[in-house]
Amino acid sequence: MTDGRHLFARGRSRVRVGSPVLIGRGTELDTLVTAVAASPSIVFVEGEAGVGKTRLVNELMTGLTAGPEPWVSAGHCQPLREPFPYGVIFECLHSCGPRIGRPSAVTGVLRPYLPELADRLPAAPGPLHDPAAERHRLFRAIRELLDALGRAVLVIEDVHWADDGTRQLLRFVMTDPPPALSLVVTFRREDLPADAPLGRAFRPRPGTTAAHLVLGPLDTEGVRQLVEAILGGRNVSLGFAETMRQRTAGIPFVVEETTYALCDRGDDLQLDGMAARRLLDDVEVPTLLRDTMAERMLALPAAARALAQAAAVLAVPATAELLAAVAACGSGEQLTRLLEDAVLVETAENEYGYRHALAQRAVYDVLPGPYRQELHLRAVRALAVLDPPPLVRLAAHAKHAGLADDWLRYSELAADAAADAGDAPTAIDLLCATVADPSAATPDVNRLATKLCQYALTGLHHDEVIAQIERLLSDSRLSGAARGEVQLWLGLLLVRKTGEMDRGRTYIEQAIGSLRERPERRLRGMAVLALPYLGTTPITGSRAWLERVENALGALPPGALPTSLLANTVSARLMSGDPEARQRIALLRPPRDPGGTEQTRELARGHCNLADACAWIGDYAEAREHLRTGLSLATQSGASYVIGTAESTRIRLDWLAGAWEGLRERAERMAQTYAYLLPVTSELHLVLGWLAATRGDWGRAESCYQATRMSQPDSAIIPVANAATGGMITMLLSRGDVSAACAHADRGTALLHRKGLWVWAGDLAPQAVEAYLAEGRTGDARGLIEDMRAGLAGRYAPLARATLVACRARLALATGSPAAAARLFETAIHRHRQLGLPYQTARLTEEAARIHPPSTSVLTELARSYEKLGAPLDAARCRHLIRSTGVATPSPRGRRGYGDELSPREREVAELLAGGRTNREIAQTLFLSRRTVEDHVARILRKLNVGSRRDVHF
């Protein structure tokens, strides 16, 4: 339980309260409120079942009943076989007694209908002995009674179920409405007995305000907001929300019911893509939706029902001809009936299907087994003659029809076609199902298992894929040779997975021993073990594997295999700072002639690996060139995993280049999409940590740095863990925790010594030197600088060499050589500027400015540079230094009134407030007085219209 509005319980019992706020209907509510206020008025609210008509009018009524005026009443028409004429109107009026003023004499005719009001109504007039006249007098009496109520709002829901008499009565009243009456009518057009809600087209008389609202489905953002509101604020990924929208058609009721079903199961709502679709496919159809569809099906003629059942079996929109072929009956007239009754909709021109997947499943799930199997068999026959045949659909129908051999054949063909088209997730899902089938023969399992592993490496996969491949190792149908291949592919998958790197290396080493008769497979495994960034294995171990692969390369014929091996070996050399590595890039096939699909994918991976390597050693211009080439080839060949790694590299390059606008949102979206892939997510978390630290959100920064597995280097991407350690040291020094910063520096430098790769020291050594000097460990700082200098001898490492100069500058300043320090800082600043690192350049310039009494002009320019980048803490530190000299620091933006908007400074304070920082911590972070922070906080709460700092969300 959270706030009493979101109540969930495991199991089948739950309290449902829906969303605590109205989502996605702000414009409609404003229109409704405005129209109702301008009495006399009539508002029609139209929309399909579950779209939120009742929720909208309830929101209106809640606002209206908050004050003394007006009188508000609502009634619901019911789908009764013999409805009571005017019953819904009388239900609305039975409680209006206290509001009745001076009713006219004609209202006495209502006494028999409204006995609760008998003491407030005049005496009943005598009978007229003419049914038409009696009805007219009754209509007049109701209009007069409504007039006697004064300001009144009458809401009549579900008018599509109203009897003819009620519709005629409403037309009569609104043709000459009481001046203080507003009528709100809701209806579903598909269930109207005529074309208009009041029987015939209705045109209000002049002077009557009229509005017609048509409620449509929610968009993806609306679905996300609705799910989050039901969950009490839990975050939901945009990718999951989009999948939810597709499955529910954005209909709020269906979204709510599906969300409750997921809550019962405790599922993760941060999933995206295939994982989200798989999760939502398993959700039970809501009972109310199932019952509604059952009622509609029972009301259909037999032929129309057969067409609807065929549509449920086909599961995707189909032409009238295909529906008729599967149903073995049907006509245009029957299909028209289904469209008029809103059982089916025309999703595209001449294609018909269900409004959303849950409606389709509601019909499909109740089909008798033999009949359902027969429909699937007809679907196989009808689809098999199409050109080209829809292989994925054929595989699904063959399975449900009990055609095991056809299912296996179509599944393999569909998987191959999907892989060729770049749709690895579909290929993976198809093959997972085939290898898990106990009836599949040994040759089929061996062949399909190998394909499954290869496709899993190409695309994005989920935990269940790895679990399925791991289960294959204990499958008795798998041959020895195939088992070795599965071990290899499983190892390659596991080294990508968070927390599984060691286990992956073990599987690869086992496979290398098992695949002596498959040298090309052994070489693939060796090429992975040659990568220097996987785990804490010293560079000497990686180089041994590298040399074995390179020795075998010359004997291989051209093709995908040598390209795959070069993708690893060349990037491994470049990432290690080998000066000859750049010449070996020419061994790769030219991008303009990449070869077949598999070779194109490997070439894409090669260029993206090279981009990553260049980015870590500091050759950023070259990194972007390889990235452009690699992304183009990966997109061309459908290599989704490669695209993920390339995009994470691009995000890191954008951080380094100072292109921070929208970077956090991009990184967060990608982290959700590639949640299982360590090489991608660890790099994204590193950038998110850097961004959080520049905002002063230290709690977020620390959690992001830790998410890189910097504390578990055996299963980390070492350059990422290195950089995260450097970020952690800087953050701790900013907070004044020198001891903790030194502890991280000790662990980070120990890892550098163990790996023996000083080309990666550029993201750690400057921070470690600063920490050592802050604690007076000058000898450790000097020793680290000397080790770094020796380790970079003969290595190509632009970033590390630039930062080595910065380390020497800090040491010179700390040991009493300011002139030498100034010269070294000047060199370091120049080199960082040449590399295109604006933030690091600014930090070094700030350090250099402190050697002598600080120049206010330099500090002012630095503050502007920091603000332009989006580093408010650094800008605040510079302005604090300027103030310490006694010089005023006017805002570079100029003074202006911000009204109800937050000023730039208030936004900075609000971000820190949202991160849970106290006033004292905010003051220290932004170099402000506590009184100033208190004033800012008060204005922020007022402008955001919240009562507590805990309600500030940014």
Side-chain angles (χ1 to χ4, degrees):
M1 186 182 300
T2 54
D3 58 1
R5 301 194 60 134
H6 312 278
L7 308 179
F8 304 115
R10 296 288 179 222
R12 303 298 302 168
S13 298
R14 55 182 174 260
V15 178
R16 301 186 177 202
V17 294
S19 167
V21 294
L22 186 67
I23 301 296
R25 305 295 188 211
T27 301
E28 292 87 346
L29 180 60
D30 289 344
T31 301
L32 183 57
V33 169
T34 301
V36 166
S39 60
S41 59
I42 181 169
V43 182
F44 296 100
V45 181
E46 174 185 346
E48 62 187 299
V51 81
K53 302 182 294 296
T54 297
R55 178 58 197 270
L56 179 67
V57 296
N58 283 346
E59 198 79 12
L60 166 73
M61 292 168 63
T62 299
L64 293 173
T65 55
E69 293 281 350
W71 176 80
V72 181
S73 185
H76 295 75
C77 302
Q78 302 295 332
L80 304 175
R81 290 187 178 181
E82 297 182 5
F84 174 54
Y86 326 126
V88 67
I89 306 297
F90 293 137
E91 284 297 316
C92 288
L93 293 174
H94 78 276
S95 62
C96 71
R99 289 283 301 216
I100 297 176
R102 298 174 60 87
S104 66
V106 74
T107 60
V109 76
L110 298 174
R111 278 174 168 263
Y113 300 99
L114 297 169
E116 301 94 336
L117 308 182
D119 62 332
R120 297 176 181 270
L121 296 176
L128 297 177
H129 306 295
D130 180 350
E134 293 277 8
R135 187 177 65 166
H136 179 259
R137 186 168 65 175
L138 178 66
F139 282 15
R140 281 186 56 215
I142 290 175
R143 183 172 62 190
E144 292 296 321
L145 178 59
L146 289 169
D147 191 23
L149 297 177
R151 182 75 184 95
V153 176
L154 192 63
V155 177
I156 307 297
E157 292 238 52
D158 299 327
V159 167
H160 49 275
W161 283 329
D163 60 280
D164 286 339
T166 297
R167 277 192 286 271
Q168 291 172 15
L169 172 56
L170 291 174
R171 286 181 64 90
F172 178 87
V173 169
M174 295 312 298
T175 298
D176 184 17
L181 174 67
S182 294
L183 175 66
V184 178
V185 172
T186 73
F187 67 95
R188 304 180 204 160
R189 182 165 297 279
E190 64 269 20
D191 288 330
L192 286 173
D195 289 337
L198 299 186
R200 296 192 305 274
F202 175 75
R203 177 174 296 177
R205 64 177 292 173
T208 300
T209 302
H212 190 132
L213 303 177
V214 180
L215 302 188
L218 297 176
D219 59 13
T220 300
E221 178 58 23
V223 169
R224 186 184 66 80
Q225 292 179 17
L226 177 57
V227 176
E228 288 185 345
I230 294 171
L231 298 178
R234 279 174 53 194
N235 288 333
V236 174
S237 75
L238 202 60
F240 182 89
E242 169 59 17
T243 306
M244 174 77 86
R245 186 200 63 77
Q246 294 171 2
R247 288 293 190 269
T248 63
I251 299 172
F253 164 75
V254 185
V255 173
E256 288 189 11
E257 290 293 309
T258 304
T259 303
Y260 282 117
L262 293 173
C263 287
D264 285 347
R265 296 169 18 160
D267 287 308
D268 179 8
L269 305 190
Q270 287 291 332
L271 299 174
D272 282 309
M274 186 67 73
R277 289 192 288 274
R278 188 177 294 104
L279 175 64
L280 288 169
D281 282 344
D282 292 339
V283 172
E284 290 185 10
V285 178
T287 302
L288 186 57
L289 177 60
R290 190 186 299 277
D291 293 345
T292 299
M293 294 305 298
E295 287 179 10
R296 292 191 175 190
M297 295 294 287
L298 285 173
L300 294 171
R305 189 182 311 120
L307 279 178
Q309 291 166 337
V313 166
L314 287 167
V316 296
T319 62
E321 294 77 14
L322 181 56
L323 288 170
V326 175
C329 65
S331 64
E333 180 182 349
Q334 301 300 333
L335 182 56
T336 300
R337 170 69 184 272
L338 294 175
L339 296 173
E340 289 175 346
D341 289 358
V343 176
L344 300 182
V345 295
E346 187 173 11
T347 58
E349 187 175 9
N350 300 324
E351 290 192 348
Y352 311 95
Y354 285 89
R355 184 78 172 84
H356 50 79
L358 289 175
Q360 173 262 326
R361 283 180 50 203
V363 176
Y364 181 87
D365 289 349
V366 298
L367 292 175
Y371 180 53
R372 185 173 63 242
Q373 185 176 7
E374 173 62 26
L375 290 177
H376 280 295
L377 184 59
R378 293 178 195 166
V380 171
R381 293 169 181 162
L383 294 172
V385 299
L386 299 181
D387 185 24
L391 296 171
V392 174
R393 294 168 64 192
L394 279 165
H397 290 300
K399 180 179 183 180
H400 294 302
L403 307 175
D405 291 342
D406 288 338
W407 167 58
L408 201 67
R409 177 169 57 88
Y410 283 130
S411 293
E412 185 171 8
L413 289 171
D416 292 343
D420 287 341
D423 186 4
T426 296
I428 292 167
D429 273 8
L430 287 163
L431 294 179
C432 268
T434 59
V435 298
D437 183 53
S439 66
T442 293
D444 293 328
V445 172
N446 287 336
R447 181 182 70 258
L448 295 172
T450 302
K451 283 188 176 183
L452 169 61
C453 295
Q454 291 172 330
Y455 294 155
L457 276 175
T458 301
L460 303 180
H461 55 275
H462 50 87
D463 281 349
E464 181 53 35
V465 175
I466 291 180
Q468 178 61 58
I469 293 172
E470 198 155 11
R471 284 194 292 271
L472 283 170
L473 292 177
S474 59
D475 194 321
S476 60
R477 295 171 297 174
L478 207 63
S479 67
R483 195 176 309 280
E485 286 206 44
V486 171
Q487 281 180 326
L488 172 63
W489 301 125
L490 178 60
L492 297 179
L493 289 169
L494 287 174
V495 295
R496 299 176 177 177
K497 189 173 183 295
T498 302
E500 296 283 12
M501 187 178 294
D502 284 346
R503 205 155 65 93
R505 291 177 67 95
T506 299
Y507 273 121
I508 293 172
E509 290 169 357
Q510 290 174 355
I512 290 172
S514 302
L515 292 170
R516 298 193 180 281
E517 296 180 4
R518 299 293 303 275
E520 73 284 0
R521 295 287 192 246
R522 297 183 75 212
L523 286 171
R524 285 184 183 269
M526 292 177 187
V528 172
L529 298 180
L531 296 173
Y533 57 79
L534 298 178
T536 58
T537 302
I539 186 61
T540 52
S542 302
R543 283 177 182 157
W545 291 111
L546 178 69
E547 290 167 2
R548 291 179 66 178
V549 174
E550 288 182 337
N551 289 337
L553 265 171
L556 296 176
L561 176 60
T563 302
S564 171
L565 301 179
L566 285 168
N568 283 16
T569 57
V570 177
S571 62
R573 286 194 173 277
L574 186 58
M575 185 175 271
S576 303
D578 187 336
E580 297 180 3
R582 300 173 80 179
Q583 283 72 46
R584 298 181 68 85
I585 295 174
L587 297 174
L588 288 168
R589 193 180 180 101
R592 63 180 178 276
D593 181 25
T597 300
E598 185 180 357
Q599 190 165 0
T600 302
R601 288 179 185 145
E602 296 296 350
L603 189 59
R605 189 171 64 85
H607 281 282
C608 290
N609 284 358
L610 290 170
D612 189 54
C614 287
W616 283 118
I617 63 175
D619 194 342
Y620 304 118
E622 196 72 17
R624 291 195 179 275
E625 284 298 319
H626 285 298
L627 197 62
R628 275 191 286 271
T629 301
L631 272 171
S632 174
L633 293 168
T635 303
Q636 176 184 333
S637 59
S640 49
Y641 170 73
V642 175
I643 291 173
T645 60
E647 289 293 349
S648 65
T649 300
R650 176 149 63 184
I651 282 177
R652 179 161 53 90
L653 287 171
D654 286 346
W655 152 265
L656 293 168
W660 297 0
E661 183 71 30
L663 196 60
R664 176 171 48 169
E665 292 76 13
R666 284 169 53 201
E668 287 173 344
R669 283 197 301 270
M670 277 198 65
Q672 292 170 354
T673 302
Y674 297 89
Y676 300 111
L677 299 179
L678 177 67
V680 178
T681 57
S682 61
E683 194 164 14
L684 296 171
H685 283 125
L686 171 64
V687 173
L688 288 169
W690 281 337
L691 287 167
T694 61
R695 300 192 309 272
D697 190 350
W698 292 329
R700 168 79 164 150
E702 183 170 359
S703 66
C704 287
Y705 289 146
Q706 292 292 354
T708 67
R709 302 190 70 81
M710 56 173 279
S711 299
Q712 300 93 31
D714 285 336
S715 57
I717 305 298
I718 296 302
V720 177
N722 238 19
T725 302
M728 184 74 84
I729 294 170
T730 297
M731 184 188 71
L732 291 168
L733 290 174
S734 297
R735 294 165 61 177
D737 195 345
V738 176
S739 178
C742 285
H744 280 287
D746 289 340
R747 285 193 290 271
T749 54
L751 181 58
L752 283 174
H753 281 98
R754 179 175 179 181
K755 287 294 292 187
L757 270 176
W758 290 92
V759 296
W760 298 342
D763 289 307
L764 172 64
Q767 296 89 334
V769 165
E770 186 178 1
Y772 289 150
L773 293 174
E775 198 168 65
R777 294 168 56 178
T778 307
D780 289 333
R782 184 177 285 109
L784 175 57
I785 291 171
E786 182 55 32
D787 289 339
M788 186 176 177
R789 186 196 60 76
L792 291 177
R795 299 283 99 185
Y796 176 66
L799 175 62
R801 292 190 178 279
T803 58
L804 177 59
V805 180
C807 291
R808 292 172 58 207
R810 286 174 181 152
L811 179 62
L813 186 60
T815 54
S817 302
R823 290 193 299 272
L824 289 167
F825 269 123
E826 185 178 352
T827 302
I829 291 167
H830 174 70
R831 291 190 180 183
H832 280 78
R833 186 177 288 117
Q834 280 190 320
L835 291 176
L837 302 173
Y839 181 63
Q840 291 83 346
T841 301
R843 290 293 298 261
L844 289 169
T845 304
E846 183 184 345
E847 282 191 74
R850 298 188 189 194
I851 295 177
H852 303 292
S855 164
T856 55
S857 61
V858 171
L859 290 174
T860 300
E861 187 58 37
L862 279 173
R864 289 171 179 164
S865 298
Y866 284 136
E867 286 175 334
K868 183 178 179 181
L869 282 168
L873 265 66
D874 299 279
R877 187 178 56 250
C878 285
R879 297 198 180 281
H880 175 67
L881 283 173
I882 298 172
R883 287 196 299 271
S884 69
T885 67
V887 177
T889 57
S891 168
R893 304 175 183 86
R895 292 290 181 182
R896 52 160 283 196
Y898 288 91
D900 289 334
E901 297 179 11
L902 297 181
S903 71
R905 174 64 84 190
E906 287 164 353
R907 290 181 64 87
E908 293 169 1
V909 174
E911 286 203 28
L912 296 173
L913 267 181
R917 306 289 280 278
T918 66
N919 286 0
R920 182 177 60 81
E921 290 171 334
I922 295 171
Q924 290 175 343
T925 300
L926 296 178
F927 300 94
L928 301 172
S929 71
R930 291 183 64 176
R931 179 60 183 272
T932 300
V933 171
E934 289 169 2
D935 291 341
H936 282 312
V937 170
R939 284 194 294 271
I940 290 165
L941 298 182
R942 176 180 58 78
K943 290 182 177 183
L944 296 182
N945 194 27
V946 296
S948 166
R949 62 195 297 132
R950 291 189 297 272
D951 298 324
V952 176
H953 302 290
F954 234 69

